[in-house]
Amino acid sequence: ILKENKIETAVITGDLKHEFGVINRAEWENILKIIDLFLKYCKKLIIIKGNHDVSLPFIARKKGIELSEYYKIDDIFVCHGDKIIDNEEFKKSKLILMGHEHPAIGFREKSKYENFKCFLKGKFLDKELIVLPSFNTLTIGTDILRNRLLSPFLQQNLKNFQAYVIEKDKVYDFGKLKKFS
């Protein structure tokens, strides 16, 4: 499908890098490979600078890609989520897509504890908010039921947020977070 239908635009919501500091050789090479993979199947790649991406401009510049603070298409505002960008484009949007928090939902049964990466869906002001999980296989993310959340978008009561876990090709609707209180 990808070979037949070239994707118009792909957006990475930040934290393409995992480490905060300098770029080691393996990370540099892997990020270049990821960018090449995206550029093979899409016409335009937008990378939103995340809080882990301090040294990412060097890599992006090598590939001729500009880092952005956000990306807006129609009424969708895509941002990293570590800060609120309060501009006209944000105000006119109806849907916010963000990364940063890397939500996961954890369950304990006796001595066994399991964490599942999840999508969160809720409200921020008058807008729909969708928080994306980490797509890094090394990082599960933040247990939204037990840990302190960092994103200013999530500094609110999350009891009416929905959690969705995706395993292989199936979506599991875990329902509203209030049922886990």
Side-chain angles (χ1 to χ4, degrees):
I1 293 174
L2 290 175
K3 289 178 183 176
E4 295 171 13
N5 302 316
K6 190 139 182 143
I7 297 167
E8 190 66 37
T9 304
V11 181
I12 297 173
T13 60
D15 289 349
L16 185 56
K17 284 183 55 1
H18 181 65
E19 297 295 328
F20 281 97
V22 295
I23 307 168
N24 67 46
R25 182 182 174 110
E27 186 175 41
W28 180 281
E29 290 171 0
N30 288 332
I31 290 173
L32 287 173
K33 287 178 187 175
I34 290 168
I35 290 172
D36 286 341
L37 182 65
F38 272 100
L39 293 174
K40 181 178 177 180
Y41 296 109
C42 65
K43 294 177 185 173
K44 182 178 181 183
L45 177 61
I46 306 291
I47 301 176
I48 295 170
K49 186 177 178 193
N51 60 309
H52 286 243
D53 298 327
V54 176
S55 52
L56 189 60
F58 303 108
I59 297 173
R61 197 174 310 124
K62 182 174 176 65
K63 288 294 187 177
I65 297 171
E66 184 181 328
L67 294 181
S68 301
E69 288 292 312
Y70 66 92
Y71 182 69
K72 175 112 173 11
I73 183 167
D74 299 327
D75 60 356
I76 302 169
F77 191 88
V78 184
C79 61
H80 181 61
D82 59 332
K83 60 186 173 236
I84 297 170
I85 302 165
D86 192 17
N87 61 19
E88 279 307 307
E89 290 184 298
F90 175 79
K91 290 175 183 168
K92 291 178 181 176
S93 65
K94 293 181 181 167
L95 172 67
I96 303 165
L97 286 174
M98 62 165 265
H100 183 57
E101 198 67 54
H102 317 301
I105 191 164
F107 298 101
R108 180 179 303 283
E109 185 178 322
K110 297 181 183 171
S111 64
K112 184 179 179 184
Y113 178 77
E114 279 193 76
N115 250 342
F116 300 91
K117 295 178 182 194
C118 68
F119 289 81
L120 281 183
K121 181 181 172 198
K123 290 278 187 190
F124 180 77
L125 303 173
D126 61 337
K127 301 165 188 344
E128 198 74 32
L129 173 64
I130 297 176
V131 186
L132 306 173
S134 169
F135 290 95
N136 184 332
T137 56
L138 301 175
T139 307
I140 294 293
T142 304
D143 184 338
I144 55 174
L145 300 177
R146 291 171 182 77
N147 297 118
R148 189 175 139 262
L149 303 179
L150 302 174
S151 174
F153 290 96
L154 300 176
Q155 301 303 309
Q156 60 173 300
N157 187 332
L158 302 179
K159 69 180 181 181
N160 286 317
F161 273 64
Q162 297 262 148
Y164 298 91
V165 173
I166 298 176
E167 276 292 315
K168 298 186 182 179
D169 291 334
K170 186 165 180 169
V171 177
Y172 296 92
D173 181 350
F174 277 49
K176 292 188 178 183
L177 296 181
K178 64 183 170 188
K179 77 179 189 181
F180 301 109
S181 303

